[in-house]
Amino acid sequence: MEGFSESALRALAGPRSFERGRGYLDAVSGVEVGDGWVTASVHGTERYEVELTLDGPGGLSGHCDCPYGMEGNFCKHLVALGLTVLAEWESLPRQRKAARDRAQDLDGWLSGLSKDALLILVREQIAEDRQLRRRLELQAASARGDLATVRARIRELLDVSPFAQYGYVAYADARAYADQAEQAVSAIGALTGPGRAEDAIPLAREAMKLLADAVENVDDSDGWLGQVGADLAHVHLEACRAARPDLEELARWLVGHALGDADDGLTDIDPLDYEEILGEDGMAVLWKLAVEAWRGNRGGWAEKYLMERLAKAGGDVDAVIAVHAADLSPNGHTHLVIAHELDTARRPDEALRWAERGIQETRDLAAVDTAVVDYLCDRYTQADRLLDAVALRRDHFRARRTLLPYQQLRAAAWAADCWPGEREEALILLRADAGQRRQPWCSGRVLIDALLDDKDLDAAWQAATDIGADDHQWLTLADQARPTRPADALRVYHRLAEALTKETGNAIYEQLAGLLLSIRDCHHRLDTRDEFTTYLTALRAGQKRKRNLMRLLDQHGL
């Protein structure tokens, strides 16, 4: 019971639900303490059943059947029960011991009953509990191999109708439906034990289809049906292991399932899990069927994935490459995937050729997958082909004239000791773009960003003056120029600050305060502190209604 405290309840519920839970202490009734759990009824809008797990795998947790609790929340009713338990904390160990004793007594009593007495007891429970009766009927049908009854009961268990309002199972009822669906999975699995595994296989496949249909009408936000599907896949695998079905039929079904032919995609089945069952002959059939499917639809995602998966599992790199090569993307990405596969197979020369094909076969270098360019430049650099790396970076920059290709060209050219000449040509292009402005990236913005990135402040300032710049660039220019050109920087700061005084909002006020600090620094450098005092006084007078701004300026000593 470590970690069970008021602070733990508050952390689970949140402050609001915790405080509301305090008001429900008098509504808690019928508290029952078990070994590690406590249950009770809490009377709210309706009577809700509440259960706290005191020391489960995840620590303190709880469940309530109120609408808020059914959404997975730790509600006020759980808080009320938790506070009630804490109020009687000293007696809790004694109550838990009493619960264990009762459980042992019950087990001892049941063990001592005769078969006839047990049957009477079970029959009484069956008469009172419809769900128990249905579960036992299903188990009995499975045990005697009554497939017609088992199939009918499985269809009933997977039917969403009893849980659906207006044809849809809401989140609050999804767990209950999933629990019922698990009963169907258990019944199919039970057939494997008594030697009826060959019957379990078709039942499992039918259940997969029913489950796939059901999930379309269930809010499975918590993934309960996904777990049912995984359990169903395991049951099918175990049934196949036990029954040893016809290999060709199994291979054909596995391929159909992988390609979505059976429309039961909720059940994720990996054909390679059946490799031991299929053996060499069955895997050959599986491969043949996969190849036929892929050749019939080379662009199909499922066909490509299945072929790639089987080829990789068999270590057939050439088959993997053939799958990718049959559907090459126009931007070179698939060429790079092939290159990586060849690198893994330690065939670097072929890998390089495929990557180079990716560049050559890309119609528009501006749209190329930049990872292909990066891969090739890395390979060229490793091979001391520095000029080849520069040439590729140059071509990429010319096709897509943005800051990043410019930076990459600079890095490659520095390594090859040819940056001055490359820079001059690159800046000529950017200046031409700034004059023409034909494309979104063909503007003065890239030129100014490039000059700033080169730490060429004077050229960047001149370009901004000649062709214009956006506010962010002017702010960067002013920040960098302030130590040496405070008067120029001051004019920029004043213009930007004037625009911000017409806006509101805390984020705006933060920006304005930052600009005022920069303006003050410029006046200090220019030895015009009195001018700043006059400017700030006028600004505060004009903005005095903005209380948050005034408070922020005070905090910054402005």
Side-chain angles (χ1 to χ4, degrees):
M1 293 180 289
E2 184 179 352
F4 183 27
S5 62
E6 278 199 24
S7 60
L9 291 172
R10 183 185 294 274
L12 285 169
R16 187 166 182 268
S17 288
F18 181 81
E19 292 304 322
R20 295 182 69 186
R22 289 183 182 276
Y24 279 78
L25 294 178
D26 293 338
V28 179
S29 64
V31 177
E32 181 179 353
V33 178
D35 186 16
W37 53 265
V38 181
T39 63
S41 296
V42 180
H43 296 265
T45 308
E46 299 179 12
R47 189 181 75 171
Y48 299 114
E49 299 303 319
V50 185
E51 179 175 340
L52 276 175
T53 301
L54 303 180
D55 44 15
L60 178 64
S61 62
H63 175 75
C64 176
D65 60 3
C66 74
Y68 188 61
M70 291 296 288
E71 293 178 358
N73 300 297
F74 200 92
C75 65
K76 60 190 177 185
H77 309 112
L78 286 166
V79 172
L81 176 55
L83 293 174
T84 300
V85 172
L86 286 172
E88 302 177 1
W89 186 253
E90 293 183 358
S91 67
L92 195 61
R94 175 178 53 79
Q95 294 183 65
R96 293 185 68 177
K97 182 179 183 303
R100 286 194 293 269
D101 291 344
R102 289 195 302 272
Q104 291 175 359
D105 291 344
L106 177 60
D107 185 67
W109 176 68
L110 289 172
S111 299
L113 290 178
S114 66
K115 176 181 177 181
D116 290 340
L118 281 172
L119 284 173
I120 292 172
L121 182 62
V122 171
R123 287 168 181 149
E124 289 175 351
Q125 294 301 311
I126 289 174
E128 297 175 2
D129 190 334
R130 177 169 168 264
Q131 292 296 328
L132 174 62
R133 174 177 56 78
R134 293 173 66 179
R135 288 200 301 272
L136 293 179
E137 286 175 349
L138 182 55
Q139 292 179 22
S142 297
R144 67 177 182 269
D146 183 354
L147 294 183
T149 299
V150 171
R151 177 174 282 107
R153 295 295 297 116
I154 287 173
R155 296 186 70 87
E156 290 178 14
L157 290 171
L158 293 174
D159 181 13
V160 300
S161 299
F163 299 88
Q165 292 184 353
Y166 310 108
Y168 185 76
V169 180
Y171 175 86
D173 298 314
R175 176 65 186 274
Y177 172 74
D179 289 343
Q180 180 170 296
E182 279 287 5
Q183 295 177 30
V185 177
S186 298
I188 296 170
L191 289 173
T192 305
R196 303 299 299 271
E198 70 279 1
D199 296 324
I201 294 173
L203 285 174
R205 295 178 185 177
E206 183 177 350
M208 290 177 193
K209 295 178 181 178
L210 293 172
L211 190 62
D213 292 339
V215 77
E216 298 296 326
N217 301 298
V218 179
D219 181 353
D220 191 35
S221 300
D222 288 338
W224 298 113
L225 293 191
Q227 183 58 52
V228 175
D231 294 340
L232 190 54
H234 178 72
V235 164
H236 181 268
L237 177 62
E238 292 302 312
C240 288
R241 283 194 178 124
R244 295 291 173 177
D246 179 84
L247 299 182
E248 183 170 348
E249 188 280 331
L250 176 59
R252 192 173 298 279
W253 182 85
L254 288 170
V255 170
H257 187 280
L259 300 182
D261 295 348
D263 194 26
D264 51 5
L266 181 69
T267 311
D268 186 17
I269 289 180
D270 186 351
L272 292 176
D273 288 342
Y274 292 76
E275 185 172 5
E276 179 185 347
I277 300 169
L278 291 168
E280 187 174 338
D281 292 342
M283 288 299 292
V285 174
L286 185 70
W287 173 260
K288 176 177 176 292
L289 293 170
V291 170
E292 289 176 355
W294 171 66
R295 286 176 176 169
N297 185 20
R298 292 176 186 265
W301 181 89
E303 287 80 1
K304 288 170 59 178
Y305 179 77
L306 178 60
M307 275 292 296
E308 182 184 357
R309 183 107 172 80
L310 294 176
K312 283 186 175 181
D316 192 341
V317 176
D318 291 317
V320 174
I321 293 170
V323 172
H324 291 301
D327 186 30
L328 294 171
S329 59
N331 68 347
H333 172 75
T334 318
H335 298 78
L336 183 60
V337 172
I338 293 173
H340 285 316
E341 292 288 350
L342 289 165
D343 279 332
T344 302
R346 298 184 179 182
R347 293 157 62 175
D349 292 342
E350 294 175 73
L352 181 61
R353 288 195 292 273
W354 268 103
E356 289 174 332
R357 275 186 58 183
I359 296 294
Q360 295 161 5
E361 296 176 5
T362 298
R363 295 179 181 178
D364 182 6
L365 200 56
V368 72
D369 185 342
T370 56
V372 183
V373 179
D374 295 339
Y375 173 89
L376 281 172
C377 287
D378 287 343
R379 289 291 305 270
Y380 290 153
T381 301
Q382 292 168 12
D384 202 27
R385 295 171 55 183
L386 301 182
L387 292 179
D388 288 335
V390 171
L392 180 54
R393 290 297 187 191
R394 182 194 308 126
D395 291 342
H396 190 223
F397 167 73
R398 288 177 174 175
R400 186 170 181 80
R401 294 193 284 279
T402 58
L403 180 60
L404 179 58
Y406 180 86
Q407 293 169 324
Q408 293 169 326
L409 172 60
R410 182 179 61 201
W414 269 115
D417 198 23
C418 61
W419 175 232
E422 292 292 339
R423 180 175 188 262
E424 183 177 355
E425 292 184 13
L427 291 178
I428 289 173
L429 286 174
L430 291 180
R431 287 192 176 97
D433 291 343
Q436 296 174 6
R437 302 172 183 265
R438 288 193 305 263
Q439 299 292 341
W441 61 83
C442 294
S443 66
R445 179 177 181 84
V446 180
L447 173 62
I448 295 168
D449 284 345
L451 292 169
L452 284 170
D453 203 61
D454 284 340
K455 310 301 181 186
D456 193 344
L457 177 61
D458 290 339
W461 193 283
Q462 187 61 51
T465 303
D466 293 341
I467 62 178
D470 62 33
D471 287 347
H472 176 75
Q473 289 177 318
W474 273 119
L475 180 59
T476 303
L477 285 163
D479 288 343
Q480 293 189 15
R482 192 168 69 223
T484 58
R485 302 168 62 172
D488 290 335
L490 183 59
R491 285 192 292 273
V492 174
Y493 291 139
H494 271 303
R495 180 180 63 79
L496 297 176
E498 177 64 23
L500 291 181
T501 59
K502 297 178 175 61
E503 301 183 42
T504 59
N506 289 336
I508 296 296
Y509 301 155
E510 288 283 357
Q511 295 178 45
L512 181 55
L515 287 172
L516 291 173
L517 291 172
S518 298
I519 291 172
R520 183 175 68 181
D521 183 59
C522 288
H523 280 291
H524 284 184
R525 293 176 186 276
L526 293 167
D527 198 20
T528 55
R529 293 174 176 81
D530 291 343
E531 290 185 20
F532 175 70
T533 300
T534 302
Y535 170 78
L536 181 61
T537 300
L539 184 143
R540 290 186 68 115
Q543 303 289 309
K544 62 183 179 181
R545 294 179 180 274
K546 300 175 180 177
R547 289 178 294 178
N548 285 355
L549 173 60
M550 295 298 104
R551 188 180 303 112
L552 186 62
L553 296 184
D554 290 339
Q555 292 173 0
H556 285 288
L558 293 166

